[in-house]
Amino acid sequence: MRFFYFARPSILGAFPTPANFKRSLTHAELNDPAPLTGFAQTRLTWASLVQSPAEIPSNYRAAFNALPNRTGAFPYTVRTPSYAGFIHRENEKLVCWLDETLYVIEPNGNRITTTRYARNDIHAIEFGKILLQAWLTIRGVAGDGALQTTTLKFNTVTDYLFAPFIDQFRNAPPNSAAQPNPERAQFDYLSNLNFKFMNLGRSSILPNEHVIAILLQPELLATASFLDRFFHRVITPAHLSILTDRELVLIRDEIANPHNASVNRYGGIWNYVPLCAITSVALAETDRALGLSIHLSAHDQLDVLFAPANREAFGDFVNQIERARRAQTATLN
């Protein structure tokens, strides 16, 4: 597969925020023959926090009550919106973290299905937010033993609701974003190269991990000419690779508008890969790019592209990944 936090002030200004009312529209709004207002339509894309058993939708209640809750405490639970699409429809989902396990409950035809991801069976997670569109993708071995990917989509206004899931997966300490971290100073050299990635990198590091290596790859374009006109194709968007003693963090831009490759980028996409999930790394080279294949458990794989001009730094970075991976494996064993 080629791929390629959080809290922020509400972009709605003086309008109500998700914390002030339930995400679902009122009965009157749903049955009003008049078209929904733009704000009402936007509310339909917001995720919402479920704080008690009474707030569990009736169609999910049986599946939710069947979860193996050893403590009896109500787990952290979020309800995601549904998206109607011409080709693919995104179902509403109920997501909760319970006893070191992520559960995703959703309708599947006439049935309600539950997908279970134990923390140690999650190979990688991807969090992306571009303007008002945000998503969280979980990759790993589900409870049935099969490799599976689950994507949760939601409006960026409610992205803060998904930060606890990411923090649990990364073993982040409480209030990690507010804690001082001297490791962030390692990103200072990027201030003149790419100020955006400097800030994204600094904010992505946990206070209890050590940064081993950082590698910045500017956007790589292929250029062709035809009838005195030049055309550009993005080989890889700009991205930042961060290796720590615990994980590999990959941050990238979204791919620009094909009609205007110089258009400004908004937001970013993060991939978090624990070193213990990496089984090996492999290199490939073409005339236009250097390829890094990150092999994960259960034959899963992530691919990252670099410019040939980055060959020396790229080779050093790959060797550091292999050493860090082996050190992590020895520690766990």
Side-chain angles (χ1 to χ4, degrees):
M1 170 185 173
R2 180 155 300 167
F3 74 98
F4 99 105
Y5 101 104
F6 282 53
R8 71 175 198 177
S10 171
I11 64 169
L12 297 178
F15 285 104
T17 63
N20 296 330
F21 65 93
K22 297 182 183 300
R23 178 188 60 81
S24 300
L25 296 179
T26 65
H27 183 274
E29 287 176 307
L30 289 173
N31 292 277
D32 190 339
L36 293 175
T37 65
F39 179 58
Q41 293 180 41
T42 299
R43 285 167 55 183
L44 290 173
T45 67
W46 290 0
S48 59
L49 182 64
V50 180
Q51 304 184 73
S52 69
E55 296 181 10
I56 299 294
S58 58
N59 55 324
Y60 297 138
R61 200 158 293 160
F64 185 87
N65 292 337
L67 299 181
N69 191 340
R70 294 193 298 268
T71 66
F74 189 78
Y76 184 81
T77 305
V78 174
R79 182 182 180 185
T80 71
S82 61
Y83 285 87
F86 178 71
I87 297 177
H88 177 70
R89 176 183 173 86
E90 192 70 32
N91 290 330
E92 177 188 73
K93 297 177 177 67
L94 198 66
V95 190
C96 71
W97 185 271
L98 176 64
D99 296 333
E100 301 296 297
T101 302
L102 181 72
Y103 292 92
V104 181
I105 305 173
E106 64 179 312
N108 185 1
N110 295 324
R111 302 182 299 116
I112 298 294
T113 62
T114 302
T115 304
R116 174 174 62 87
Y117 294 96
R119 185 212 294 268
N120 294 335
D121 291 332
I122 300 176
H123 302 157
I125 58 174
E126 176 177 286
F127 170 75
K129 59 176 181 180
I130 300 171
L131 297 179
L132 289 179
Q133 299 179 18
W135 67 93
L136 177 64
T137 297
I138 302 99
R139 304 162 59 95
V141 177
D144 59 0
L147 179 64
Q148 193 160 332
T149 299
T150 299
T151 297
L152 314 172
K153 294 183 179 181
F154 44 91
N155 192 296
T156 303
V157 173
T158 53
D159 63 3
Y160 67 95
L161 294 175
F162 297 85
F165 295 126
I166 299 175
D167 288 346
Q168 288 285 353
F169 169 72
R170 300 179 68 200
N171 283 312
N175 301 317
S176 59
Q179 295 183 26
N181 187 355
E183 294 291 311
R184 292 171 181 158
Q186 296 200 42
F187 295 89
D188 291 349
Y189 81 97
L190 294 173
S191 61
N192 295 326
L193 300 174
N194 194 310
F195 194 79
K196 170 184 174 179
F197 276 110
M198 180 194 74
N199 285 326
L200 295 183
R202 286 168 59 92
S203 64
S204 299
I205 299 303
L206 299 176
N208 55 350
E209 59 184 355
H210 168 63
V211 176
I212 298 173
I214 303 169
L215 184 57
L216 174 67
Q217 171 59 58
E219 182 182 62
L220 183 59
L221 298 174
T223 304
S225 61
F226 179 72
L227 297 178
D228 295 327
R229 296 187 62 184
F230 289 90
F231 302 89
H232 304 281
R233 179 176 63 87
V234 177
I235 297 177
T236 180
H239 57 86
L240 184 69
S241 301
I242 308 167
L243 175 65
T244 78
D245 57 343
R246 295 172 46 183
E247 62 184 345
L248 181 63
V249 182
L250 307 170
I251 311 172
R252 71 185 190 274
D253 266 335
E254 74 274 23
I255 295 179
N257 186 323
H259 302 293
N260 183 6
S262 63
V263 69
N264 290 331
R265 273 69 166 178
Y266 300 92
I269 303 169
W270 290 254
N271 279 261
Y272 300 99
V273 186
L275 293 180
C276 59
I278 302 176
T279 59
S280 65
V281 291
L283 310 179
E285 184 173 353
T286 67
D287 58 341
R288 292 183 173 179
L290 303 172
L292 170 62
S293 294
I294 304 167
H295 299 291
L296 308 174
S297 306
H299 306 290
D300 199 2
Q301 179 176 320
L302 297 175
D303 296 320
V304 191
L305 297 179
F306 295 84
N310 243 350
R311 181 178 283 101
E312 183 176 352
F314 172 72
D316 291 342
F317 188 76
V318 172
N319 292 333
Q320 289 171 312
I321 293 176
E322 188 60 32
R323 289 195 295 268
R325 182 189 69 82
R326 292 177 178 176
Q328 178 77 349
T329 300
T331 300
L332 294 176
N333 292 336

